[in-house]
Amino acid sequence: MHAFDVLGDPVRRRLLELLADGERPAGEITAIVQAEFGVSQPAVSQHLRVLRESGFTSVRPVGARRLYAIDSAPLQEVDEWLERFRRAWDERTSETPPRKITIVCPYPRVPLRRLPMSEEAMTKPEYVRQWWGPRGSSLSSCEIDLRVGGEWRYVNKMPDGSEHPFRGVYREIKPVERLSYTWIYDVAPFNQHVAIETVELEE
């Protein structure tokens, strides 16, 4: 299994996160993942097996317990593969302005409450859920704190059940005119990179 196939599953990513600070018993991390994801103990054991067999974790018995730890080698290989793209990303973000999105509103300027297809489509969870993400996907979580310095967080659920978290912080808010915010794909190591999106609403 390719490293990115291993990391593409949210349960396996969470298991690695739980091991990031050091060795932990299998029973402990299994209980946490069961509570967070609502999956069975055998299902978590299968994910641990995938991580072990793909080289992402090691395990050692201590009495009746099995202690899991991260093996950094596969992560280093992933990081080396990503380095070529990281350099290109750094060059692009240093040389180009923030990305700009324009939404054309067919209505004359009216109070915000009458513009469900423009600004409210970008700022209210009940509308964002109707369109955000690739076709066939849905948002399992949609949190919006609409203020400068406030955070937004969406979790995109794909048809295959995989989940992809995104987050950012609002930088500028001009009602019925303009939104600017940071944008991060919140999965390591991609969450090291921050993009800026600017949305302008036009009549």
Side-chain angles (χ1 to χ4, degrees), residues 41-107:
Q41 184 273 331
V44 180
S45 295
Q46 179 61 30
H47 285 297
L48 285 171
R49 178 181 176 183
V50 170
L51 290 173
R52 187 174 65 250
E53 292 182 348
S54 60
F56 278 84
T57 61
S58 60
V59 61
R60 67 184 182 94
V62 177
R65 300 191 305 170
R66 292 166 60 84
L67 299 182
Y68 273 80
I70 284 181
D71 188 329
S72 62
L75 292 172
Q76 290 173 350
E77 292 175 4
V78 170
D79 189 62
E80 290 170 1
W81 187 86
L82 288 169
E83 180 59 30
R84 72 188 76 173
F85 303 101
R86 187 178 297 118
R87 290 195 299 268
W89 177 278
D90 291 341
E91 292 172 0
R92 187 182 69 178
T93 54
S94 65
E95 295 175 1
T96 60
R99 179 165 43 165
K100 176 181 175 181
I101 300 174
T102 299
I103 296 178
V104 178
C105 174
Y107 314 111

Side-chain angles (χ1 to χ4, degrees), residues 116-130:
M117 297 306 294
S118 55
E119 183 168 310
E120 288 189 349
M122 299 290 300
T123 60
K124 295 205 171 195
E126 61 266 34
Y127 292 124
V128 173
R129 287 179 181 274
Q130 296 180 28

